């Protein structure tokens, strides 16, 4: 019985690639140094899977930044602004597309389906001259072969590539991206031919868009693409891999009808209903790559349950045609549980990271082949039983409080217009008030202080003194820049400088959470996150942020924002328990945050930001499931602040996603002010308001992209604000960056914020003179 891994984490067990990338970007190391680190990681991954007994080992799943950007490079689809003149795409062009450079911005980044990974969105149009411009897939296949490992090269499928793209700037939004299929297939044919010549016997096309709600025209594109590729694919075994959800009956029919295809990879964790389609109609003689080991979470597989499922499938597809696989790439889970030295043995026994999932896949394959490791299966069964019965998982008081939420929608008693009037009387802000999103740059000195405190090298008093001094610097800087609503900069938050630092910060202070030392997962590029593990019922034992927020407020007469992370974001940026519905866990977190909000208000904090950056990330892939998710997600947010006074201004922040299709749910959150990513996505957000959506609360679409090192000019920011004023009322518009500033340097932050404030003042003057 054979085994297969869809894909594997790239960063390395201790983020080796992250550090190599950042050293290269900072010009502290050479391209050759970076390439050597990458080659060592690839070699280690291939040998690990080979030694574990995996038969179908993937190649070309490694990436220096993003696999979709790799496909863009392969196709030579470089936007003209990067000045690429043909030939093999090198690091300069590649990383300019990913990160921008001093003169041009990066390409748009958005979330990869409903995961926490983000990809670089291709910008396409009728005038793109596609060419074979990156031989990475072939080179990596040859590299593995030279090491004695015959791999399955993986390519983003041609149809999914186009469906994940967007029309380039200046191209009509109605342009059919699928019309480019005849232009990109010749490049795919070149790649396939080179792989065949190099000795490849299998090839994997990832076509995850097959799990989306696709109309007949889009489904027909898959048929047309593989019809065209059939002759080129002759002589190869072809695997079409899908993941993240069920296939519809129509999509499944399309999949099994594709010409030249040998095998189908199905996610049987998040796509359990697809089992029924397989049982009712599976093409004779084809392979089923059965994704029964979860690639999205860190819980140990229930081997007995998976074995039972596989035995059912074996009876349908045949013993020789069944391959045990992961549900999706292991990119979305942590690398190796062996590196976890601080998790206690009980919780550790409940978990499996990527390295352990490889072992699980092979153990299931061997069991199906009659070589069951009884000791391994028995230990797994004992761990499953331990988790179900452990008293640390259940808190009756929390469950009772969550159950009592039923019957109320938890809305504030006064409408937002009246609340904004009451808040303005108290806060006395100018029009176009300026603020930032929360974090400020994390200096080496600050990181040293936190590191030494964690290592018990300095006292708690010394630590508090140092953090207070850092807060004072941040407050003084904002006053010097003349920002209207201040933040304390979050200097007390951990040293990783990643987007879910605040989730980890709050999780460490909530019950029901566990934390890893090296449980890193790639978010985008070199950015890694270390998601908390929610293993049990959640509650707040004591206040979490009140001390730091009130300390900061005591340093200024200007409003100081209290900074919290919302329940939906904490949920979506964590590895969540899979033994109860996600919404039940979210309601528990909401009640904990509600306690903190009310304590902040009592401490004199009049502006409280409850970030829901990841609200859209949890949106199910199927439209039929959207309404239920949005109902409980929005309700969870309202629970957090339903008890505050009208004069307390509730902000929320969202980023990393396209929010246009959920704008009405965002309005239903009933926040007083929302700050939202806007600049990197070509101001797509503003199109909602151009189309007539009325928004009555305060809103701050980001005026510049903090993910790029470039500093926008005052004129550029003023131009963005003017575009906003064309569709939004002056009295509700806020001026702020896209996101927090922790990943930037002060040399970038100071001039950028100075220009932002100058632009706001310029527009205030112009608006006043126009009256």
């Amino acid at each position: 019985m054979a085994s297969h891994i869809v894909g594997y984490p790239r960063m390395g067990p201790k983020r080796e690639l992250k550090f190599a990338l950042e050293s290269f970007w900072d010009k502290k190391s050479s391209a050759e140094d970076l390439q050597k680190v990458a080659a060592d990681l690839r070699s280690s991954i291939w040998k690990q899977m080979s030694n574990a007994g995996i038969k179908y080992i993937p190649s070309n799943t490694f990436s220096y930044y993003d696999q979709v950007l790799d496909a863009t490079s392969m196709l030579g689809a470089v936007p003209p602004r990067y000045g690429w003149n043909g030939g093999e795409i090198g690091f300069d062009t590649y990383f300019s597309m990913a990160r921008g450079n001093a003169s041009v911005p990066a390409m748009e980044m958005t979330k990869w389906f409903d995961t926490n990974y983000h990809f670089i969105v291709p910008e396409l149009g009728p005038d793109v001259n596609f060419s074979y411009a990156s031989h990475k897939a072939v080179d990596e296949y040859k590299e593995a072969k030279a090491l004695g490992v015959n791999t399955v090269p993986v390519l983003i499928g041609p149809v999914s590539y186009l469906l994940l793209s967007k029309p380039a700037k200046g191209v009509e939004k109605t342009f059919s991206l699928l019309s480019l299929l005849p232009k990109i297939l010749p490049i795919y044919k070149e790649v396939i031919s080179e792989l065949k010549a190099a000795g490849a016997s299998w090839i994997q096309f990832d076509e995850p868009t097959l799990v989306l709600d696709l109309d007949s025209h889009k489904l027909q594109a898959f048929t047309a693409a593989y019809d065209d590729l059939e002759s080129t694919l002759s002589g190869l075994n072809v695997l079409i891999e899908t993941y993240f959800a069920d296939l519809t009956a129509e999509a499944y029919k399309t999949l099994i009808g594709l010409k030249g295809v040998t095998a189908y990879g199905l996610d049987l964790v998040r796509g359990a209903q697809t089992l029924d389609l397989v049982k009712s109609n599976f093409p004779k003689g084809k392979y089923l790559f059965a994704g029964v080991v979860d690639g999205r979470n860190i819980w140990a597989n229930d081997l007995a349950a998976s074995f039972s499922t596989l035995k059912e499938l074996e009876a349908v597809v045949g013993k020789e045609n069944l391959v045990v696989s992961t549900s999706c790439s292991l990119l979305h889970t942590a690398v190796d549980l062996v590196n976890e030295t601080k998790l206690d043995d009980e919780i550790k026994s409940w978990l499996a990271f990527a390295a352990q999932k490889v072992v699980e896949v092979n153990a299931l394959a061997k069991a199906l082949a009659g070589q069951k490791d009884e000791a391994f299966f028995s230990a797994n069964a004992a761990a499953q039983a331990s988790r179900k019965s452990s008293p640390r998982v259940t808190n009756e008081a929390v469950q009772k409080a969550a159950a009592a939420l039923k019957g109320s929608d938890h809305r504030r008693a006064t409408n937002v217009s009246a609340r904004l009037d009451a808040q303005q009387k108290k806060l006395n802000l100018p029009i176009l008030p300026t603020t930032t999103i929360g974090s400020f740059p994390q200096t080496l000195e600050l990181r040293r202080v936190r590191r030494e405190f964690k290592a018990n090298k300095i006292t708690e008093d010394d630590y508090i003194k140092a953090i207070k001094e850092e807060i004072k610097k941040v407050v003084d800087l904002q006053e010097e820049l003349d920002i209207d609503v201040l933040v304390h900069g979050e200097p007390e938050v951990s040293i990783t400088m990643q987007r879910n630092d605040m989730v980890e910060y709050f999780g460490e202070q909530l019950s029901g959470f566990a934390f890893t030392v090296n449980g890193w997962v790639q978010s985008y590029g070199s950015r890694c996150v270390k998601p908390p593990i929610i293993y049990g019922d959640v509650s707040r034992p004591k206040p979490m942020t009140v001390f730091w927020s009130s300390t900061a407020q005591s340093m200024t007469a200007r409003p100081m924002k209290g900074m919290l992370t919302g329940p939906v974001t904490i949920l979506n940026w964590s590895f969540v328990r899979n033994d109860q519905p996600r919404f039940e866990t979210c309601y528990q977190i909401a009640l904990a945050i509600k306690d903190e909000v009310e304590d902040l208000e009592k401490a004199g904090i009049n502006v409280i930001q409850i970030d829901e950056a990841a609200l859209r990330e949890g949106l199910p892939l199927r439209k039929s499931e959207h309404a239920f998710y949005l109902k409980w997600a929005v309700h969870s947010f309202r629970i957090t602040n339903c008890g505050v006074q009208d004069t307390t201004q509730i902000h929320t922040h969202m980023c990393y996603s396209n929010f246009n299709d959920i704008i009405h749910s965002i309005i239903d959150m009933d926040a007083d002010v929302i700050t939202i990513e806007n600049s990197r996505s070509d101001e797509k957000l503003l199109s909602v308001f151009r189309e007539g959506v009325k928004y009555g609360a305060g809103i701050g679409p980001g005026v510049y992209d903090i993910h790029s090192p470039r500093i926008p000019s005052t004129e550029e920011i003023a131009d963005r604000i003017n575009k906003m004023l064309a569709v939004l009322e002056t009295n509700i518009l806020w001026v702020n960056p896209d996101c927090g500033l922790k990943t930037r340097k002060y040399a970038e932050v100071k001039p950028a914020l100075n220009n932002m404030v100058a632009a706001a003042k310029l527009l205030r003057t112009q608006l006043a003179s126009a009256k």
Side-chain angles (χ1 to χ4, degrees):
M1 189 63 60
S3 51
H4 167 251
I5 304 297
V6 177
Y8 202 80
R10 309 156 180 159
M11 284 290 121
K14 295 188 177 177
R15 296 181 292 161
E16 290 87 344
L17 182 60
K18 167 192 168 61
F19 298 120
L21 282 167
E22 291 175 355
S23 176
F24 173 70
W25 292 336
D26 289 342
K27 298 186 175 10
K28 294 178 181 176
S29 61
S30 67
E32 291 75 19
D33 294 331
L34 174 58
Q35 288 164 337
K36 183 177 187 310
V37 170
D40 288 346
L41 285 171
R42 288 193 295 267
S43 171
S44 172
I45 290 166
W46 291 326
K47 288 179 180 176
Q48 176 190 349
M49 284 193 255
S50 180
N51 292 339
I54 301 299
K55 180 176 180 180
Y56 299 110
I57 297 171
S59 61
N60 198 41
T61 57
F62 178 89
S63 178
Y64 285 103
Y65 205 93
D66 163 51
Q67 71 268 20
V68 181
L69 183 62
D70 292 348
T72 295
S73 299
M74 181 185 83
L75 296 167
V78 180
R81 65 181 178 274
Y82 298 108
W84 176 65
N85 295 314
E88 189 81 4
I89 289 175
F91 281 158
D92 283 352
T93 300
Y94 182 86
F95 288 128
S96 289
M97 288 192 287
R99 308 176 68 238
N101 57 44
S103 57
V104 291
M107 295 168 71
E108 180 186 352
M109 180 172 64
T110 197
K111 64 196 294 292
W112 178 245
F113 294 82
D114 60 346
T115 74
N116 291 333
Y117 178 76
H118 298 78
F119 73 97
I120 303 297
V121 182
E123 301 173 11
L124 305 179
D127 299 327
V128 176
N129 294 314
F130 296 100
S131 64
Y132 188 9
S134 170
H135 292 67
K136 176 178 175 293
V138 178
D139 291 344
E140 288 189 15
Y141 173 78
K142 291 177 178 177
E143 183 183 329
K145 191 174 181 182
L147 294 169
V149 182
N150 194 25
T151 60
V152 179
V154 179
L155 300 176
I156 299 287
V159 182
S160 288
Y161 177 78
L162 293 176
L163 291 177
L164 292 168
S165 302
K166 70 172 186 176
K169 202 165 187 178
V171 175
E172 289 292 328
K173 299 301 180 189
T174 55
F175 173 71
S176 171
L177 292 160
L178 289 175
S179 70
L180 298 173
L181 200 53
K183 292 187 176 184
I184 68 170
L185 288 178
I187 315 298
Y188 275 86
K189 290 176 183 178
E190 287 189 69
V191 179
I192 293 164
S193 297
E194 285 195 9
L195 287 168
K196 284 169 69 174
S201 57
W202 279 83
I203 187 169
Q204 175 179 320
F205 291 100
D206 281 8
E207 294 281 15
T209 56
L210 270 167
V211 306
L212 302 177
D213 294 313
L214 301 180
D215 59 31
S216 58
H217 170 66
K218 290 175 180 174
L219 289 174
Q220 178 57 35
F222 289 93
T223 302
Y226 289 92
D227 279 358
D228 195 332
L229 292 173
E230 183 184 15
S231 61
T232 310
L233 289 168
S234 177
L236 280 172
N237 291 294
V238 179
L239 166 63
I240 305 295
E241 187 67 49
T242 70
Y243 35 79
F244 299 149
D246 282 299
L247 291 167
T248 63
E250 295 81 5
Y252 180 73
K253 183 179 178 182
T254 299
L255 174 65
I256 63 174
L258 296 178
K259 290 184 179 178
V261 174
T262 317
Y264 314 103
L266 302 175
D267 182 340
L268 300 180
V269 176
R270 291 184 174 237
Q273 293 173 30
T274 304
L275 269 173
D276 296 332
L277 295 171
V278 172
K279 290 174 183 176
S280 65
N281 180 24
F282 192 80
K284 191 173 181 180
K286 302 290 187 181
Y287 290 85
L288 173 62
F289 283 56
V292 294
V293 172
D294 192 352
R296 293 275 299 270
N297 217 324
I298 42 67
W299 302 108
N301 187 270
D302 185 337
L303 294 179
S306 293
F307 185 72
S308 175
T309 299
L310 290 165
K311 291 298 285 184
E312 287 181 57
L313 291 169
E314 186 180 77
V316 175
V317 307
K319 192 179 188 75
E320 298 306 314
N321 291 333
L322 183 62
V323 178
V324 182
S325 184
T326 53
S327 65
C328 61
S329 173
L330 298 176
L331 172 70
H332 310 290
T333 190
V335 179
D336 196 342
L337 196 55
V338 168
N339 296 315
E340 297 310 319
T341 54
K342 294 188 178 178
L343 285 172
D344 65 71
D345 289 342
E346 182 180 36
I347 288 179
K348 207 169 179 178
S349 74
W350 302 342
L351 307 178
F353 291 179
Q356 288 69 46
K357 290 176 187 291
V358 169
V359 174
E360 289 177 339
V361 166
N362 199 54
L364 286 165
K366 289 177 71 175
L368 284 172
Q371 303 167 30
K372 188 176 183 181
D373 184 335
E374 295 291 351
F376 188 72
F377 270 68
S378 294
N380 175 267
Q384 298 291 324
S386 158
R387 186 173 164 218
K388 287 176 182 175
S389 61
S390 175
R392 50 198 303 198
V393 171
T394 305
N395 182 322
E396 288 185 14
V398 170
Q399 293 194 351
K400 186 176 180 181
L405 293 171
K406 294 173 183 175
S408 170
D409 62 3
H410 297 90
R411 292 184 184 276
R412 292 170 76 178
T414 310
N415 68 44
V416 68
S417 178
R419 296 199 308 264
L420 288 173
D421 287 344
Q423 292 156 15
Q424 179 58 16
K425 286 175 184 173
K426 188 165 190 174
L427 300 173
N428 193 29
L429 299 172
I431 61 166
L432 306 180
T434 54
T435 190
T436 65
I437 304 306
S439 61
F440 264 66
Q442 305 286 287
T443 63
L444 289 174
E445 174 63 17
L446 179 59
R447 296 170 73 184
R448 181 192 64 77
V449 166
R450 281 196 304 257
R451 190 167 57 247
E452 290 185 354
F453 178 59
K454 284 192 171 185
N456 295 317
K457 292 182 178 178
I458 60 173
T459 67
E460 184 174 9
D461 286 345
D462 288 338
Y463 169 74
I464 290 172
K465 180 184 177 187
I467 297 298
K468 283 183 175 180
E469 288 173 356
E470 183 66 23
I471 291 172
K472 185 69 167 67
K473 289 178 188 175
V474 171
V475 170
D476 288 348
L477 173 61
Q478 292 171 92
E479 289 192 329
E480 177 188 329
L481 291 167
D482 205 15
I483 292 173
D484 300 303
V485 175
L486 311 189
V487 298
H488 75 286
E490 300 169 8
E492 76 281 15
V493 179
S494 73
I495 66 172
T496 64
M497 295 174 62
Q498 309 308 330
R499 69 174 194 152
N500 75 336
D501 285 346
M502 291 298 284
V503 173
E504 184 169 350
Y505 176 77
F506 288 110
E508 285 175 341
Q509 301 182 76
L510 295 169
S511 65
F513 283 75
F515 297 88
T516 63
V517 176
N518 286 298
W520 298 100
V521 181
Q522 186 181 17
S523 173
Y524 65 92
S526 69
R527 301 297 178 203
C528 302
V529 295
K530 192 147 57 78
I533 298 167
I534 305 177
Y535 67 84
D537 291 334
V538 178
S539 62
R540 184 197 74 145
K542 61 182 181 180
M544 301 180 288
T545 64
V546 175
F547 173 76
W548 295 117
S549 292
S550 54
T551 296
Q553 183 63 83
S554 72
M555 297 175 179
T556 180
R558 301 187 185 208
M560 175 64 62
K561 282 198 276 192
M563 301 300 303
L564 303 174
T565 301
V568 185
T569 296
I570 291 177
L571 183 88
N572 286 337
W573 284 357
S574 298
F575 288 125
V576 183
R577 58 190 294 190
N578 58 359
D579 59 346
Q580 70 177 16
R582 288 173 71 87
F583 70 84
E584 290 186 12
T585 303
C586 198
Y587 284 155
Q588 293 178 0
I589 302 169
L591 287 170
I593 300 299
K594 181 177 186 288
D595 290 344
E596 186 73 9
V597 168
E598 291 171 5
D599 280 349
L600 281 168
E601 184 183 56
K602 288 173 188 171
I605 304 300
N606 297 314
V607 181
I608 302 171
Q609 182 171 306
I610 308 168
D611 287 348
E612 283 295 14
L615 186 135
R616 197 190 185 284
E617 288 190 14
L619 194 68
L621 298 178
R622 281 285 149 66
K623 289 179 182 174
S624 60
E625 300 170 15
H626 286 191
F628 177 67
Y629 167 77
L630 289 169
K631 182 179 179 181
W632 64 255
V634 169
H635 186 193
S636 296
F637 177 82
R638 290 201 305 263
I639 288 168
T640 65
N641 61 86
C642 63
V644 301
Q645 301 294 315
D646 287 354
T647 50
T648 297
Q649 190 167 84
I650 299 295
H651 288 222
T652 191
H653 172 66
M654 294 181 172
C655 58
Y656 292 110
S657 291
N658 176 12
F659 296 98
N660 294 22
D661 54 350
I662 63 164
I663 192 67
H664 293 289
S665 294
I666 291 173
I667 293 170
D668 198 39
M669 291 170 72
D670 200 29
D672 297 310
V673 178
I674 178 170
T675 53
I676 195 162
E677 186 277 327
N678 171 67
S679 62
R680 183 160 188 171
S681 57
D682 289 335
E683 302 172 339
K684 272 193 294 194
L685 175 71
L686 299 187
S687 66
V688 171
F689 304 109
R690 292 189 192 101
E691 291 160 10
V693 171
K694 300 298 181 187
Y695 192 76
I699 183 166
V703 296
Y704 77 91
D705 177 17
I706 64 88
H707 300 100
S708 173
R710 67 183 294 271
I711 298 163
S713 66
T714 299
E715 293 73 24
E716 180 183 335
I717 296 174
D719 181 58
R720 286 190 185 276
I721 298 171
N722 270 320
K723 288 179 182 176
M724 296 170 192
L725 289 170
V727 292
L728 294 166
E729 296 295 328
T730 308
N731 64 332
I732 66 168
L733 185 62
W734 284 63
V735 176
N736 47 263
D738 263 345
C739 268
L741 304 169
K742 63 187 167 189
T743 61
R744 300 267 59 91
K745 299 181 173 74
Y746 271 108
E748 301 157 351
V749 166
K750 288 179 182 179
L753 289 180
N754 185 67
N755 292 350
M756 183 187 82
V757 173
K761 289 180 176 180
L762 176 66
L763 268 295
R764 287 172 195 162
T765 302
Q766 291 176 0
L767 289 167
S769 63
K771 285 184 180 179

